[in-house]
């Protein structure tokens, strides 16, 4: 990651041989500290959630280790199940959950995951992806193209799509400076590009680039798991808090709180969104037009995180 970050920023000419060597050394130290992930996979979370009558809402979760709740031992601690329970409470209908994500997946893996979930005819699909694109130094344009294709296929199949954008890897304590600064810049650049692509394709995004950054920074022992890289149960719970309102809104179960809207070019709003945790960006029209002088119009929605309904 350090090598590609250096080369991507202009290589040794831009950073200098000493800075490049320091980045490489910091990456090696971080790898030793993090070690192997705590648990190779999350618990099997596929199933029916919510003790309500009626036809189940079909929900799919795709993406990387966050999507499977890596490190957790009980399905109830994973983001997919937490969101499913919350959605069931709001809709007063059961939710049938399919988790197609896997630990270590990058955006390039989304195509195969979409193949699987399309068989279930999802009404809502949630994607958590981006961290492994940063750690494998995947060029943002390539990663975003895979995400765009995945969202497009899901939308064509009739599913609403909510994407939790790339988290801010600058909050990971084993990553020291200056590598932390590099990963933070890379994470946020990817998150902004993801936002533009998803909105253009008809989905919604929730900004994870600085997801509860102050809390992760101030309470790493509580927010991160034993490997100090993946979230703890509390960290996953906070991710679910951030996504649930957008899921409910996408399905028409919650109204949009009008007073907190900001409208503008999707490129501007994408840059704004990655600086604020839990911010949602979705397409809109201004004066009846979807496209303005600086690109497509979008709406930025700032949501205050609140508690999930009782699981």
């Amino acid at each position: 990651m350090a090598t590609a970050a250096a080369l991507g920023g202009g290589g040794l000419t831009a950073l200098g041989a000493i800075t490049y060597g320091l980045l490489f050394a910091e990456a090696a130290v971080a790898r030793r500290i993090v070690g192997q992930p705590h648990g190779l996979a999350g618990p099997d979370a596929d199933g029916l959630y919510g003790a309500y009558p009626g036809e189940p809402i079909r929900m799919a979760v795709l993406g990387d280790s966050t999507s499977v709740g890596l490190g957790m031992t009980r399905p109830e601690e994973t983001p997919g199940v937490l969101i499913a329970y919350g959605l069931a409470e709001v809709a007063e209908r059961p939710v049938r959950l399919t988790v197609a994500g896997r630990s270590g997946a990058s955006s390039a893996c989304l195509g195969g995951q979409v193949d699987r979930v399309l068989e279930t005819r999802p009404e809502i699909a949630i994607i958590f992806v981006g961290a492994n694109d940063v750690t494998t130094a995947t060029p943002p344009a390539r990663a975003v193209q895979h995400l765009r294709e995945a969202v497009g296929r899901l939308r064509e199949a009739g599913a609403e799509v909510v994407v939790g954008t790339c988290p801010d890897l600058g909050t990971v304590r084993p990553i020291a400076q200056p590598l932390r600064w590099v990963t933070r810049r890379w994470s946020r650049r990817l998150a902004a590009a993801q936002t533009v692509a998803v909105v253009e394709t008809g989905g919604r995004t929730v900004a994870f680039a600085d997801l509860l950054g102050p809390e992760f920074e101030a309470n790493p022992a509580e927010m991160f798991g034993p490997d100090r890289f993946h979230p703890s149960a509390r960290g996953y719970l906070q991710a679910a808090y951030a996504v649930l309102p957008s899921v409910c809104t996408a399905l028409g179960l919650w109204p949009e709180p009008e007073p907190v809207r900001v409208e503008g070019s999707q490129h501007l709003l994408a840059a704004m969104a990655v600086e604020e945790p839990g911010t949602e960006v979705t397409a809109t029209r201004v004066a009846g037009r979807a496209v303005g002088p600086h690109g497509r119009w979008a709406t930025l929605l700032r949501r205050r995180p609140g508690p999930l309904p009782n699981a």
Side-chain angles (χ1 to χ4, degrees):
M1 176 174 64
T3 302
L7 297 178
L12 299 181
T13 302
L15 290 174
I18 294 177
T19 304
Y20 168 80
L22 180 58
L23 289 174
F24 190 87
E26 290 289 358
V29 170
R31 282 195 299 270
R32 286 198 298 270
I33 293 174
V34 171
Q36 294 297 317
H38 179 66
L40 298 179
D44 182 6
D46 287 9
L48 191 66
Y49 297 94
Y52 291 97
E55 183 69 18
I57 298 172
R58 299 181 300 277
M59 186 178 93
V61 179
L62 307 84
D64 54 25
S65 56
T66 300
S67 71
V68 302
L70 183 67
M72 300 298 98
T73 58
R74 300 187 302 128
E76 292 77 12
E77 297 174 316
T78 65
V81 173
L82 289 166
I83 296 168
Y85 271 127
L87 177 58
E89 290 289 333
V90 173
E92 296 186 345
R93 288 170 56 191
V95 175
R96 186 170 299 281
L97 173 64
T98 300
V99 179
R102 65 178 179 84
S103 178
S106 64
S107 296
C109 302
L110 290 176
Q113 296 181 18
V114 172
D115 290 341
R116 178 189 168 193
V117 302
L118 286 182
E119 297 176 358
T120 69
R121 299 179 295 112
E123 298 169 66
I124 180 74
I126 303 163
I127 302 175
F128 300 102
V129 76
N132 292 314
D133 293 299
V134 175
T135 59
T136 58
T138 301
R142 185 185 305 165
V144 167
Q145 183 57 34
H146 288 298
L147 177 60
R148 182 191 297 272
E149 292 171 358
V151 173
R153 291 177 61 196
L154 290 164
R155 293 291 293 135
E156 288 174 4
E160 297 293 336
V161 181
V162 177
V163 176
T165 57
C166 180
D168 181 1
L169 297 185
T171 62
V172 178
R173 286 295 180 91
I175 301 177
Q177 298 289 16
L179 182 57
R180 184 182 297 180
W181 178 85
V182 172
T183 56
R184 171 161 286 162
R185 289 289 301 274
W186 194 316
S187 300
R188 296 194 177 202
R189 182 176 66 170
L190 176 57
Q194 288 175 321
T195 299
V196 171
V198 171
V199 170
E200 286 182 341
T201 319
R204 297 168 178 257
T205 62
V206 177
F208 275 16
D210 199 20
L211 175 63
L212 299 164
E215 197 164 352
F216 272 81
E217 291 273 16
N219 304 296
E222 297 180 16
M223 302 304 291
F224 287 101
D227 66 3
R228 301 175 63 190
F229 184 80
H230 294 91
S232 63
R234 179 177 172 184
Y236 286 126
L237 183 64
Q238 295 300 90
Y241 279 176
V243 171
L244 178 61
S246 296
V247 169
C248 293
T249 302
L251 291 173
L253 299 172
W254 281 1
E256 301 277 14
E258 296 291 340
V260 292
R261 286 180 178 277
V262 178
E263 293 183 342
S265 161
Q266 64 179 354
H267 298 280
L268 172 61
L269 297 188
M272 294 171 61
V274 299
E275 300 296 333
E276 185 168 343
T279 303
E280 176 190 316
V281 178
T282 188
T284 191
R285 289 178 175 270
V286 175
R289 297 184 178 182
V291 180
H294 303 292
R296 292 182 179 273
W297 291 105
T299 296
L300 181 145
L301 180 61
R302 297 186 178 95
R303 298 188 186 276
R304 294 182 179 179
L308 286 170
N310 292 330

